[in-house]
Amino acid sequence: MTVPSPGPPSPVPVLALGDILLVTLPGELHDATAEQLQQDITERIARSGATGVVIDISGVDIVDSYLGRVLAEIARTAALLAARTVLAGMRPAVAITLVELGLTLTGLTTALDVDRAMRLLSDPVVERPEAVDRTEGSP
Amino acid sequence: MMEVLPRRPAPIALPIGSDADLARVRQHVRLVATELGFGLVQQTKLVTAASELARNTLVHGGGGQAEITPLEEGHRTGLRLSFVDQGPGIRDVALAMTDGYSTGGGLGLGLSGAERLVHEFAIETGPGRGTTVTAVAWVTGVPAPRSGAGPRRPGAR
Ligand SMILES: Nc1ncnc2c1ncn2[C@@H]1O[C@H](COP(=O)(O)OP(=O)(O)OP(=O)(O)O)[C@@H](O)[C@H]1O
Ligand SMILES: [Mg+2]
């Protein structure tokens, strides 16, 4: 049985939607690609004055401590450049695994999907370091 | 009538020498775990543990290999993952297993976290002896309903 070679890592595209940068992570991310992405996002924020970054991880099968650290660093760096980061669409199996692994990702804002992440970022919001309140709309 | 034997994936060893190799190990563990009948959450835990341990082999052990071995014991099916290197070894295993302990500026969650993600976990190491970390997980069925939790509905999906 052979496994197809993952092939050379290609950079992850960063799209601009108004003031928000949207990044969709591929299912399999090499370490070098993740690090490159961190640099790309930071430069894009500085250049464009984007006020928000949405990282869509709905296609990501696993988040290990390396990728988790890169995501947390992206959010911290973006915050220094006055942009808020929202992690969108984490798979339930990934969430369960992250908790057991012990990776808390404190300071990272999350949303169930990209739509909700975009809406969240268009809200004029006071600092809210914890995860997104999912009870909105309830009485 | 022909008896249908379950096809069991063969044991395999994969090199760990670059971050592309880490990706290959993750993909292979996913593939084998799926074939063995692990559920999605267990697959995710196994691949995550494999990613942590393979990265340790690369970063701390200077490279080595991953051995991916399907297990069958009576009625249970499992997967053994061994990560082998000839690097410096770990002087104090208990310390290395502590959440948050890292000699490389990491989060120090790889070893201790990987242990929590599997059923069996062992480290063979010593200064100058290299390091072998072995993790085993067994396919777990749907948990049986607790007594008093109501009658089983055989036709229920
Ligand atoms: N294969 C190995 N060879 C030598 N030392 C190792 C090996 N694996 C782990 N270690 C030691 O154990 C420590 C803890 O490992 P662990 O994976 O928990 O954390 P880390 O790799 O430093 O950070 P991360 O959270 O990014 O994984 C390492 O810092 C290293 O000193
Ligand atoms: Mg590690």
Side-chain angles (χ1 to χ4, degrees), chain A residues 65-66 69, chain B residues 52 56-57 60-61 85 88-90 96 101-112 131:
Chain A
S65 64
Y66 183 88
R69 187 172 57 210
Chain B
E52 294 296 343
N56 281 353
T57 299
H60 305 298
D85 67 61
I90 303 174
Y101 175 81
S102 170
T103 55
L107 298 172
L109 286 175
L111 274 184
S112 49
T131 301

Side-chain angles (χ1 to χ4, degrees), chain B residues 55-114:
Chain B
R55 183 172 285 104
N56 281 353
T57 299
L58 179 66
V59 173
H60 305 298
Q65 65 174 23
E67 294 164 10
I68 301 167
T69 314
L71 303 174
E72 232 155 281
E73 245 183 49
H75 285 296
R76 59 179 191 168
T77 301
L79 185 56
R80 184 172 67 220
L81 305 173
S82 291
F83 300 85
V84 186
D85 67 61
Q86 312 300 323
I90 303 174
R91 190 171 297 275
D92 187 339
V93 173
L95 189 60
M97 286 297 297
T98 311
D99 269 358
Y101 175 81
S102 170
T103 55
L107 298 172
L109 286 175
L111 274 184
S112 49

Side-chain angles (χ1 to χ4, degrees), chain A residues 1 3-6 28-32 61-66 69 93-94 96-97 100-103, chain B residues 19-20 22-24 26-28 30-31 35 44-45 47-48 51-52 55 105-107 109 113 116-117:
Chain A
M1 186 167 49
V3 174
S5 157
E28 177 61 71
L29 202 63
H30 288 199
D31 295 358
D61 316 312
I62 68 142
V63 176
D64 61 10
S65 64
Y66 183 88
R69 187 172 57 210
V94 171
I96 292 169
T97 302
E100 217 147 303
L101 187 66
L103 203 61
Chain B
D19 69 345
L22 299 184
R24 211 169 286 119
R26 286 193 291 263
Q27 286 186 340
H28 203 89
R30 169 79 67 181
L31 208 80
E35 278 188 42
T44 305
K45 289 181 182 184
V47 177
T48 305
S51 190
E52 294 296 343
R55 183 172 285 104
L107 298 172
L109 286 175
R116 286 190 286 270
L117 294 174

